[in-house]
Amino acid sequence: MMKYPLLVRTILERSRQLFPKKEIVSRDFSSIFRYTYGEFYERVCRLANVLEKLGVKRGDRVATLAWNNHRHLELYFAVPCIGAVLHTVNLRLFSEQIVYILNHAGDKLIFIDEDLVPIIEGIKEQIKTIELFVIMTDKESIPGTSLSPVYSYEDLLREAPPVYDFPTYLDEWSPAAMCYTTATTGDPKGVMYSHRALYLHSLMSGMVDTFAVSEKDVLMPVVPMFHVNAWGLPFTATLVGAKQVLPGVRPDPRTLCSLIESERVTVTAGVPTIWMECFKLLEDGSYDVSSLNRILAGGSAIPRVFIEAYEKKLGINVMNVYGMTETTPITLVSRPKSYMLDWPEEQLYQVRAKQGLFVPGIEMRVVDENGNSVPRDGRAMGELQFRGPWITEEYYKDPERTGDALRDGWFRTQDIVTVDEEGYVYICDRSKDLIKSGGEWISSVDLENTIMAHPAVAEAVVIAMPHEKWQERPLACVVLKEEFRGKVTAEDILEFLRGRVAKWWLPDRVEFIDEIPKTSVGKFNKKALRHKFFPEYYGA
Amino acid sequence: MMKYPLLVRTILERSRQLFPKKEIVSRDFSSIFRYTYGEFYERVCRLANVLEKLGVKRGDRVATLAWNNHRHLELYFAVPCIGAVLHTVNLRLFSEQIVYILNHAGDKLIFIDEDLVPIIEGIKEQIKTIELFVIMTDKESIPGTSLSPVYSYEDLLREAPPVYDFPTYLDEWSPAAMCYTTATTGDPKGVMYSHRALYLHSLMSGMVDTFAVSEKDVLMPVVPMFHVNAWGLPFTATLVGAKQVLPGVRPDPRTLCSLIESERVTVTAGVPTIWMECFKLLEDGSYDVSSLNRILAGGSAIPRVFIEAYEKKLGINVMNVYGMTETTPITLVSRPKSYMLDWPEEQLYQVRAKQGLFVPGIEMRVVDENGNSVPRDGRAMGELQFRGPWITEEYYKDPERTGDALRDGWFRTQDIVTVDEEGYVYICDRSKDLIKSGGEWISSVDLENTIMAHPAVAEAVVIAMPHEKWQERPLACVVLKEEFRGKVTAEDILEFLRGRVAKWWLPDRVEFIDEIPKTSVGKFNKKALRHKFFPEYYGA
């Protein structure tokens, strides 16, 4: 067989050749921008020429600080296809973290969305390797800035030639993109995605039994393009020629629902909290979302009650998917097997609420502390581990933490899970969030999901509180729906839990709070709650 | 990313872990045999132990002469997964060709279905490298034979341990399987399939926009497992856990229709002639084939009239697919794009009758004799060429013919095609079957399809006949449906063609024949017809 390397270029070329008429829609700063894959390709070529002119060489890191929009999509292809490395920076990180990762990655230049310029201005003195700044806007001119040297993206593109001959024979193992993930302790850790990994992940994501992204889809990634390549969806969509809808700056639930309606979105993807918020808007029929047939929910598990509500009230299939920055990211997708469709509804929803089956192309195991596989009985807990061609084996320039991440060639997710006899994985907890009570483990996630099934509860988080006798006991932090505030007591919640969870799992304390703090990628921030309630144990 | 090799083992392991309850059904010699993927895996392990005990080492070629059945499927996995090479021998070849390829491949042992033993007995003196013979049957004992040393497959498996530790870190470029393709002139040519190619081809074939094989499918490959790995379907089906139905010895249309009915087959695959024959049985409602939703037709184009008839009368989607032994094989799949579904029916069927769009992961070009791309206008003809990770770059131990097969890193299919502005490829002819009339090209395939649209015509083939003035002119060989024999004249056929094809394309001669000779893989054998009608030009 040919020594043909697996490259991002092959993905780009297919869209140019087969889908030049298909649309890409982008919520730009001033209005909705739309163009075709044909026009997109031409701009990617212009951008490649710009990068070359700005001195970007193979292997150079090119940073982006941007929302989900068409310019970011152009960077997604132009940067890797000339052999450089796309470094998408999470704009929700603290300034110190952004400084750290820009310096650690050694980025050569950075592309910044107009509204995010102040973030970089605020840290410009601390950035060591960046030689120039490019600002992206749809306005006539870029905003006034203290950054220098600074260029306008649109001006650069306008002056560049619209053709470029992308190399066919780059090494498939060479880095195409990178992303940093925040760590429990210490600085963020960088993961490098090879061309090979992105190519393989894209084929996998177009399979019927995974994301099933196809030409007939209209795909709106709500998961940010600065977060694990938006789960690889921009690559998958381009490979198969799906219409893409990029929701732009800080999209709120109304913006999202409105885009689904106007662009006839068929599939969307993001963290559960988004879909929980959108549900309120959709439930009352304010938006026509009849085009939408599935939602990919990941980052944390979407509570089963929402899977059921979306299905029954809106006919929309909400699927749990699972992955990490270190796994490119998709490793698990929850779809029932064909023979389960005859199962009683209750049992079927139990399956759908799990994280699912490992996807084609990789391998999975769940092991105890001695590295032995745990029984597949849906009860025994163990650590979820993967190996495969899109699983990382190292953190960028971080040998120490790389060592901790692997065990016998398997990547340790640090997620504690069960596997049932059908192979469905259920995440019980991050190993650090697990509540260790008297030598037994309590799954905070299980407790949260059960509490969130209470009709008065909007959101809930369970954390470990220190306990003299049992080491740790559960504390439930509950956000009530507005109309129930002041009308539901801690005892009501506990009463609801009795019979639904084991008696010794019942929280020792229930706190009603106004809002659950979220992390930079939209997950429940348990660390912040632990610090709030137990500063003496976890630091202020 | 991990240095994780892309291996057939990963495909096998997924079915064992996730789909142990799913079924494999095999039409065995005496009855229908059925077992689960769980039991299948155990037998693959036994077989791996057998192979090791029989002295098979990494890289050794292991031949099979077998139908589509479960033992052949076991060999599909055990042989590559221990690092040896599965060499599937086309049982329809002439004896001399089988002798040639067994010797040329240097096969070490051969697995033979019971009814095919006489083929090998007849050539046993000429086979040079085979050290032992294994006969596969479901009878108590194997048939008496002059082959020696000879073993019974079932006896060997019974005595072998049911566990095997397949290597995880074979080189992904190492050969996993091989297949010979007959050539226009000279001996058959061998193609080696790497683990990498089979892994990638399997991911691709599970994509929505290609074969869309999924866990919920019941897949019956009619394309023989001795022919380009049955288009890779046994690998794809195993990766996604689809139920497999293997139709066994010499399956006739009644057997196939009956299996579709009894096993609730959802997707099947094979050459057009099969589906043209099956249509007669299905049309009158003798079989309940309501489970069947799609048919993959390849090897040659299925006439448009059948695509339409299957769709309108049976609600079954017949898809053209295209590939070659040299391309693992799938490179083109014909599915309309989403925006074509609003097109007028006539225009839509024109698209569906083409070979389709190149699949994700590879690249295609269509070039004239100087290597320049031809216009994408649906009219300009050029040679179809591919490059990609499952496209061959050499014939096994055949440097001379390898040289002819490639041009600038592209594989030359020798098929003459057009591409329309949407990217759909239409095969006009094999370059050798093209009729060159007065410096212009006439597509024999186009003429055939038009003739086959005549209601009295069962099958038709058009070949070039030598012509003094124009060099070549078309000769149509027509098989009439039984009820029309003797009632339709050559002039009727020509009259039907007038207005449907260009005037200068009208055949100079129409011959009515009883049957069209087929090749070893079921295609129209034009070479045989040329020899029959023009022995003075083409040899007897």
Side-chain angles (χ1 to χ4, degrees), chain A residues 129-364:
Chain A
T129 60
I130 288 183
E131 298 167 9
L132 58 91
F133 305 87
V134 182
I135 297 179
M136 302 188 283
T137 174
D138 59 350
K139 313 270 173 7
E140 277 282 315
S141 54
I142 58 172
T145 175
S146 62
L147 298 176
S148 170
V150 69
Y151 296 88
S152 150
Y153 185 89
E154 293 298 333
D155 287 350
L156 289 171
L157 254 63
R158 206 172 297 118
E159 291 154 19
V163 290
Y164 190 91
D165 189 17
F166 295 104
T168 312
Y169 294 100
L170 287 177
D171 181 351
E172 71 189 38
W173 294 95
S174 63
M178 73 183 303
C179 192
Y180 280 75
T181 177
T182 52
T184 317
T185 54
D187 294 315
K189 301 177 282 189
V191 176
M192 277 284 190
Y193 306 108
S194 63
H195 278 269
R196 172 181 163 104
L198 296 178
Y199 171 107
L200 289 166
H201 191 272
S202 302
L203 286 188
M204 178 276 291
S205 305
M207 293 179 78
V208 181
D209 290 339
T210 64
F211 288 176
V213 177
S214 81
E215 185 275 332
K216 64 180 175 291
D217 274 316
V218 179
L219 172 74
M220 180 172 75
V222 178
V223 48
M225 288 171 74
F226 55 74
H227 179 57
V228 215
N229 311 316
W231 303 350
L233 290 167
F235 295 118
T236 312
T238 303
L239 178 64
V240 303
K243 174 177 167 181
Q244 296 183 54
V245 179
L246 303 170
V249 190
R250 233 177 299 274
D252 59 20
R254 285 192 186 282
T255 303
L256 295 174
C257 292
S258 160
L259 280 171
I260 293 170
E261 176 175 283
S262 61
E263 300 300 331
R264 308 301 294 153
V265 169
T266 62
V267 53
T268 180
V271 290
T273 44
I274 292 280
W275 311 125
M276 287 150 73
E277 287 173 36
C278 283
F279 187 76
K280 298 174 207 156
L281 297 175
L282 297 177
E283 196 180 20
D284 68 7
S286 315
Y287 295 90
D288 170 8
V289 292
S290 56
S291 59
L292 191 65
N293 59 57
R294 63 202 194 281
I295 292 176
L296 312 173
S300 55
I302 190 158
R304 185 200 130 153
V305 54
F306 280 94
I307 298 178
E308 205 170 327
Y310 265 102
E311 173 87 22
K312 291 190 173 161
K313 296 196 180 150
L314 299 165
I316 295 169
N317 179 16
V318 177
M319 272 187 288
N320 270 313
V321 306
Y322 170 89
M324 303 177 76
T325 304
E326 292 87 338
T327 62
T328 310
I330 299 307
T331 51
L332 302 175
V333 174
S334 195
R335 284 181 183 270
K337 297 179 191 174
S338 48
Y339 54 79
M340 295 175 175
L341 299 177
D342 300 331
W343 284 9
E345 184 184 282
E346 175 57 27
Q347 210 181 343
L348 188 56
Y349 276 116
Q350 272 172 23
V351 169
R352 290 183 52 192
K354 299 190 176 188
Q355 274 67 32
L357 303 177
F358 69 89
V359 296
I362 61 166
E363 289 182 90
M364 181 194 95

Side-chain angles (χ1 to χ4, degrees), chain A residues 76-140:
Chain A
Y76 258 57
F77 285 90
V79 175
C81 289
I82 68 163
V85 185
L86 177 82
H87 175 200
T88 53
V89 178
N90 184 341
L91 54 88
R92 297 217 183 86
L93 294 177
F94 299 116
S95 291
E96 311 84 76
Q97 292 175 312
I98 295 181
V99 168
Y100 173 82
I101 68 173
L102 292 175
N103 289 336
H104 188 263
D107 296 313
K108 188 163 188 172
L109 65 172
I110 184 166
F111 288 78
I112 315 163
D113 268 351
E114 60 161 81
D115 63 316
L116 304 172
V117 171
I119 295 178
I120 301 300
E121 285 174 336
I123 57 175
K124 70 173 197 281
E125 306 302 336
Q126 295 141 271
I127 304 173
K128 292 181 186 140
T129 60
I130 288 183
E131 298 167 9
L132 58 91
F133 305 87
V134 182
I135 297 179
M136 302 188 283
T137 174
D138 59 350
K139 313 270 173 7
E140 277 282 315

Side-chain angles (χ1 to χ4, degrees), chain A residues 27-53:
Chain A
R27 185 168 155 259
D28 212 345
F29 298 98
S30 318
S31 61
I32 297 285
F33 175 84
R34 55 183 74 231
Y35 63 172
T36 64
Y37 274 103
E39 293 160 322
F40 163 72
Y41 183 82
E42 193 191 292
R43 278 173 58 97
V44 171
C45 288
R46 287 179 189 272
L47 178 54
N49 283 306
V50 165
L51 292 167
E52 201 172 277
K53 201 174 158 196

Side-chain angles (χ1 to χ4, degrees), chain A residues 9 18 21 337 363, chain B residues 9 18 21 337 363 422:
Chain A
R9 192 192 68 86
L18 301 184
K21 297 178 186 172
K337 297 179 191 174
E363 289 182 90
Chain B
R9 193 192 67 86
L18 300 184
K21 297 179 185 171
K337 297 180 191 174
E363 289 182 90
E422 294 287 351

